[in-house]
């Protein structure tokens, strides 16, 4: 089984794929109401422990955190890098696997997702997954927008699928 993670301090998405690319589990961890950084990490850790107890994970792929952005986003990126590193360590410790990192742009390219100029990559990727992965379940608000967490689920799916594609090219 392959675990794909889209790590964030607000909502962390995860997808588990079997070796043929079928979704075994796809969900998100909503951390928005939790203000304490370490509590957020603890909540993610609890879910990863459950995954370890429930599934036989043989590979972990994590969306590579952004390395640069505007000065205003500097603190956010620092916190994101911090949680990314801690969750990476938890994965290594739990699964005994060194996680591999895939940049979001590379993952989308491997999955055949093309983002037209001027459109948000997260929205395009979500629509691609909804249109092309029948087993991907999504819920919408009463206004027709995807509910919180579904874009993160879709991103974790793209990371897991890109990891599977990368694996198949190496063998």
């Amino acid at each position: 089984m392959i675990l794909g993670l889209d790590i964030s301090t607000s909502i962390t998405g995860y997808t588990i794929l079997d070796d043929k690319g079928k979704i075994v589990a796809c969900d998100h961890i909503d951390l928005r109401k939790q203000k304490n950084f370490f509590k957020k990490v603890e909540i993610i850790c609890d879910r990863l422990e459950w995954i370890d107890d429930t599934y036989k994970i043989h590979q972990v792929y994590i969306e590579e955190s952004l390395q640069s952005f505007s000065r205003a986003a500097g603190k956010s990126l620092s916190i994101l890098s911090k949680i990314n590193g801690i969750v990476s360590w938890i994965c290594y410790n739990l699964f005994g696997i060194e996680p591999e990192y895939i940049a979001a742009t590379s993952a989308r390219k491997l999955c055949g997702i093309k983002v037209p100029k001027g459109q948000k990559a997260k929205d395009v990727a979500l629509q691609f997954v909804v249109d092309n992965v029948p087993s991907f379940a999504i819920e919408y608000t009463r206004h027709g927008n995807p509910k919180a967490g579904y874009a993160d689920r879709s991103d974790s799916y793209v990371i897991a699928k890109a990891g599977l594609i990368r694996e198949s090219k190496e063998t």
Side-chain angles (χ1 to χ4, degrees):
M1 305 269 174
I2 292 171
L3 173 62
L5 292 169
D6 174 38
I7 301 168
S8 169
T9 56
S10 57
I11 298 176
T12 292
Y14 67 90
T15 297
I16 300 167
L17 300 178
D18 68 15
D19 294 333
K20 292 185 167 103
K22 181 179 175 222
I23 295 176
V24 175
C26 186
D27 205 348
H28 66 273
I29 308 160
D30 193 339
L31 306 165
R32 292 175 296 173
K33 291 182 182 172
Q34 185 54 248
K35 299 302 175 206
N36 182 293
F37 176 83
F38 294 100
K39 184 67 178 165
K40 289 176 187 255
V41 171
E42 186 178 352
I43 292 166
I44 295 171
C45 183
D46 289 346
R47 184 69 57 92
L48 290 171
E49 286 174 346
W50 175 82
I51 289 170
D52 185 44
D53 290 342
T54 309
Y55 303 100
K56 178 67 179 134
I57 303 297
H58 70 78
Q59 191 56 266
V60 177
Y61 293 97
I62 296 175
E63 183 178 319
E64 198 171 85
S65 60
L66 294 170
Q67 298 304 312
S68 63
F69 217 68
S70 68
R71 284 187 191 188
K75 184 177 180 188
S76 295
L77 289 177
S78 174
I79 293 169
L80 181 58
S81 289
K82 198 183 319 183
I83 198 165
N84 203 308
I86 293 169
V87 173
S88 295
W89 167 249
I90 291 167
C91 287
Y92 177 76
N93 198 33
L94 276 175
F95 305 115
I97 301 162
E98 187 174 332
E100 291 187 37
Y101 303 91
I102 304 177
T105 52
S106 300
R108 288 190 293 270
K109 186 176 180 182
L110 279 168
C111 292
I113 301 170
K114 293 175 178 55
V115 181
K117 218 173 197 164
Q119 291 192 21
K120 292 182 180 177
K122 211 166 184 75
D123 296 341
V124 172
L126 174 60
Q127 194 58 55
F128 179 90
V129 173
V130 167
D131 292 345
N132 294 285
V133 184
S135 60
F136 183 83
I138 186 166
E139 294 179 38
Y140 295 94
T141 66
R142 61 188 170 136
H143 301 292
N145 298 316
K147 284 190 175 181
Y150 285 91
D152 305 281
R153 290 180 186 202
S154 130
D155 285 351
S156 71
Y157 170 80
V158 170
I159 293 296
K161 185 69 173 179
L164 182 64
I165 292 167
R166 188 192 279 179
E167 272 183 26
S168 68
K169 287 182 177 181
E170 291 174 359
T171 55

